[in-house]
Amino acid sequence: MLRRSVKKPLVYGVLTIIIVLIAHRWLCRDSAFVMVKRDAVRYSYSSDKNRAYPYYQDMPLIFVGGMPRSGTTLMRVMLDAHPEVRCGEETRVIPRLLGLKRQWQNSAKESKRLVEAGLGDEVLSSAIAAFILEIIAKHGEPALHLCNKDPFTLKYTDELAQMFPSAKFLLMIRDGRAVVHSIVSRKVTISGFDLKSFRSCLEKWNAVMETMYHLCVKVGSDKCLPVYYEQLVLHPEEVMKNILHFLDIPWDDVVLHHEELVNQPGGISLSRDERSTDQVVKPVNLEALSKWINAVPDDVRRDIRKIAPMLEKLGYDPDAYPPNYGEADRFVQDNTLQIEKNKAFWQKRASAIQKLTKFDHFSAEQNHSSEMAAPTDNQLRMSYDNATSHS
């Protein structure tokens, strides 16, 4: 047996070790909790698992929005063509979630219920920000610069700017008369829009654009850039250079040839459910700029300044039919002429792409490349020169 003089220190030593171990585990648990940063870095992996890309709350996310039919899809596919950017198809999840959050906050009863349950605005915003980040990071291939395109997301620009301090926003702006004509003629269903009334739809456009433009100005020119659809179409190189500079992304002229990457492996994925898919399979062109001119009812023309004061505020001439948006670059003129001369090809290509999903291989183009491949720049130039030489 151990003598009492030896036994007593041994017991104290064992107890001390136990207490230290317990304290160490407790302190490590607390410190781990405290040290987890709000902008903790996570990683998403390429489909081949060979590359890992970080994503975190303070990364410079890109949000593309505006009224539907204002060029948001064209904007996102041109960005998607850039090797460092991934936008992907619209999900509509993010604006709906932000709308639900706003409903809760605007309801005194629901707001009180959330606070009583310990879900104040800070907790709710943090949880929603984490959800949004996960949606953006995981709904497509990873990239250095992640982008989300959902038109109505920019109704919440100020909230998103608080959730994601380094985010930047591209507000697509288009002549409201052209927007409404496109919505009505293509039967684009938007909550609250009466497709039988051009006047009512234009009033709705005015209200939405007033909100989005106000929020864009509110967050500041260093965070939100208005992009005019007409100028993007007329002068794509100049406008895209300005956009990429604003986003701190290096210039790559591949953004001017997005149609060559549509539904190609590692290229641009299109959705069969988006109404603009049949248009953005084509190169940038002038087809949509003036289609609306004869579609505006006489009574709407007469009352246009009252119905849509945002037209003039955004720099459009409400009395001009057609308006003078400017002269297109030669590159865009070439594209437009080539599309006109090869209508059957582009219709066939649009039809083929709309039958595919992002998980299908574009076998039609791969197996029949000579038939379905997009015409080259030289072919476009020859097409243009031949046409003008006989005019």
Side-chain angles (χ1 to χ4, degrees):
M1 292 181 64
L2 292 172
R3 288 184 299 174
R4 183 175 297 179
S5 58
V6 177
K7 191 175 182 180
K8 196 170 184 180
L10 183 62
V11 171
Y12 285 148
V14 172
L15 288 174
T16 301
I17 292 171
I18 293 172
I19 291 171
V20 169
L21 288 172
I22 292 173
H24 176 72
R25 292 188 66 181
W26 177 266
L27 289 172
C28 285
R29 186 193 70 171
D30 281 352
S31 62
F33 175 76
V34 172
M35 293 303 291
V36 173
K37 295 182 179 181
R38 184 182 176 193
D39 60 345
V41 176
R42 293 187 289 279
Y43 292 87
S44 56
Y45 299 88
S46 59
S47 54
D48 58 13
K49 304 299 182 184
N50 290 330
R51 290 164 294 169
Y53 293 84
Y55 65 98
Y56 46 97
Q57 194 166 335
D58 200 30
M59 72 183 298
L61 294 171
I62 305 164
F63 289 94
V64 177
M67 265 295 296
R69 311 305 304 164
S70 292
T72 56
T73 302
L74 176 61
M75 182 76 265
R76 83 89 172 166
V77 297
M78 294 179 78
L79 287 174
D80 262 334
H82 197 289
E84 294 186 8
V85 181
R86 194 267 292 151
C87 294
E89 303 88 340
E90 66 181 63
T91 67
R92 302 192 182 183
V93 171
I94 294 172
R96 287 174 178 173
L97 181 61
L98 291 169
L100 186 60
K101 176 179 180 287
R102 183 168 292 180
Q103 287 179 22
W104 291 337
Q105 292 174 325
N106 291 341
S107 167
K109 183 178 179 180
E110 289 300 324
S111 182
K112 182 174 181 294
R113 190 192 307 276
L114 290 170
V115 171
E116 290 292 330
L119 294 178
D121 184 63
E122 184 176 351
V123 175
L124 204 57
S125 294
S126 179
I128 290 175
F131 181 88
I132 289 173
L133 180 60
E134 202 70 13
I135 290 291
I136 295 174
K138 296 294 182 63
H139 89 97
E141 280 288 302
L144 291 175
H145 300 275
L146 295 177
C147 160
N148 172 257
K149 173 256 177 179
D150 271 305
F152 286 123
T153 299
L154 265 66
K155 289 172 64 177
Y156 311 96
T157 299
D158 52 345
E159 294 181 50
L160 287 167
Q162 291 180 350
M163 293 179 184
F164 305 102
S166 299
K168 291 194 174 182
F169 305 85
L170 299 178
L171 173 60
M172 296 304 300
I173 296 173
R174 185 184 183 188
D175 192 317
R177 296 163 293 186
V179 172
V180 171
H181 170 256
S182 184
I183 290 172
V184 172
S185 62
R186 283 180 164 252
K187 297 180 172 59
V188 179
T189 303
I190 305 173
S191 179
F193 280 67
D194 179 6
L195 300 186
K196 296 179 180 179
S197 172
F198 197 103
R199 173 185 287 260
S200 174
C201 287
L202 192 55
E203 289 173 340
K204 293 286 187 181
W205 170 87
N206 189 83
V208 171
M209 288 309 302
E210 186 174 22
T211 297
M212 290 186 179
Y213 188 74
H214 168 75
L215 291 175
C216 186
V217 172
K218 179 181 177 181
V219 300
S221 59
D222 59 326
K223 298 188 73 66
C224 185
L225 179 69
V227 179
Y228 283 79
Y229 167 79
E230 293 85 6
Q231 299 310 309
L232 176 63
V233 167
L234 292 169
H235 313 292
E237 182 172 353
E238 177 186 343
V239 174
M240 285 304 297
K241 281 184 175 179
N242 184 44
I243 289 170
L244 292 179
H245 176 74
F246 171 75
L247 298 174
D248 295 319
I249 297 174
W251 170 252
D252 192 322
D253 62 8
V254 71
V255 299
L256 303 178
H257 308 282
H258 70 274
E259 73 282 358
E260 297 175 6
L261 300 173
V262 168
N263 274 33
Q264 294 294 327
I268 300 169
S269 176
L270 294 178
S271 169
R272 292 182 298 177
D273 295 324
E274 291 185 39
R275 296 298 180 93
S276 299
T277 292
D278 64 321
Q279 294 175 302
V280 297
V281 300
K282 305 172 186 177
V284 179
N285 64 84
L286 304 173
E287 283 185 323
L289 274 190
S290 57
K291 283 184 177 180
W292 59 270
I293 293 170
N294 296 319
V296 183
D298 291 340
D299 65 301
V300 174
R301 291 193 184 201
R302 184 184 65 243
D303 301 333
I304 192 73
R305 293 178 181 275
K306 178 181 178 182
I307 296 170
M310 283 300 293
L311 278 174
E312 194 166 13
K313 183 171 183 178
L314 293 172
Y316 294 101
D317 183 348
D319 299 319
Y321 295 88
N324 180 15
Y325 298 131
E327 184 176 353
D329 294 343
R330 174 67 179 269
F331 162 68
V332 181
Q333 295 178 30
D334 290 350
N335 289 347
T336 306
L337 184 60
Q338 184 272 333
I339 291 170
E340 178 65 26
K341 288 175 65 66
N342 297 277
K343 281 185 177 180
F345 162 78
W346 291 109
Q347 289 173 354
K348 185 176 181 181
R349 189 164 192 252
S351 178
I353 288 177
Q354 286 181 312
K355 292 176 182 177
L356 301 176
T357 69
K358 67 185 296 182
F359 302 106
D360 294 322
H361 293 292
F362 203 12
S363 57
E365 289 199 359
Q366 293 172 340
N367 295 336
H368 306 285
S369 57
S370 61
E371 176 186 3
M372 292 296 293
T376 64
D377 289 340
N378 287 336
Q379 289 172 324
L380 290 175
R381 177 67 63 186
M382 289 173 64
S383 175
Y384 180 84
D385 291 341
N386 289 338
T388 53
S389 64
H390 295 295
S391 59

